[in-house]
Amino acid sequence: MTRLVYYSSASGNTARFIAQLGLAAARIPVRPNDPMPDLVTPYVLICPTFADGEGRGAVPKQVIRFLNDPSRRAGLRGVIGAGNRNFGTTYACAADVISAKCNIPVLYRFELAGTETDITRVRTGLAEFWGTECSTS
């Protein structure tokens, strides 16, 4: 069951992180004309930040396109942000933007392709997150 959705640009940092996690994940395509993944389960989004120095443009356009679909947005339960600490206050700020717009929690932040510690923390955190999810449907 796919409970992760992610976006990774040509740099591949987020894709490398996902590969290290070893969990099923659906990728939001880089090219605008490629089909978006279809989801039927609740999911967590992993999203890198592409902001200018002022934080503008933090959420990649393809992620915005993905979340603009109400049925896909309805399954979003949390967000994990990726970024580069060299960008200071805009580090992983796409997660903050998505969290505020979609009213979901930021679960974690990692830099570039993550570390072994990040991988362990995300695996453990996701297991706890999904294990404690409350069913209200």
Side-chain angles (χ1 to χ4, degrees):
M1 173 172 23
T2 301
R3 290 198 152 202
L4 284 177
V5 174
Y6 72 99
Y7 177 79
S8 186
S9 67
S11 74
N13 283 328
T14 308
R16 282 192 292 282
F17 184 81
I18 294 294
Q20 291 178 74
L21 276 179
L23 302 173
R27 184 174 185 165
I28 296 171
V30 174
R31 296 189 330 217
N33 293 331
D34 287 351
M36 291 289 179
D38 289 324
L39 303 168
V40 293
T41 61
Y43 65 93
V44 168
L45 175 66
I46 300 180
C47 183
T49 295
F50 295 102
D52 65 10
E54 303 299 315
R56 292 180 298 255
V59 180
K61 288 183 183 350
Q62 281 295 89
V63 173
I64 293 169
R65 183 174 156 240
F66 177 81
L67 292 173
N68 276 343
D69 179 285
S71 63
R72 289 191 291 254
R73 190 173 56 249
L76 181 61
R77 296 295 184 267
V79 63
I80 296 172
N84 185 328
R85 292 186 194 278
N86 288 340
F87 296 109
T89 59
T90 62
Y91 165 69
C93 72
D96 297 323
V97 172
I98 293 167
S99 171
K101 294 262 184 191
C102 298
N103 196 29
I104 47 102
V106 175
L107 302 174
Y108 194 76
R109 289 177 179 82
F110 65 91
E111 186 172 23
L112 301 173
T115 63
E116 284 301 316
T117 300
D118 293 323
I119 296 298
T120 300
R121 287 179 178 167
V122 169
R123 273 193 203 126
T124 302
L126 286 171
E128 290 174 10
F129 182 74
W130 292 120
T132 60
E133 184 181 27
C134 177
S135 177
T136 58
S137 52

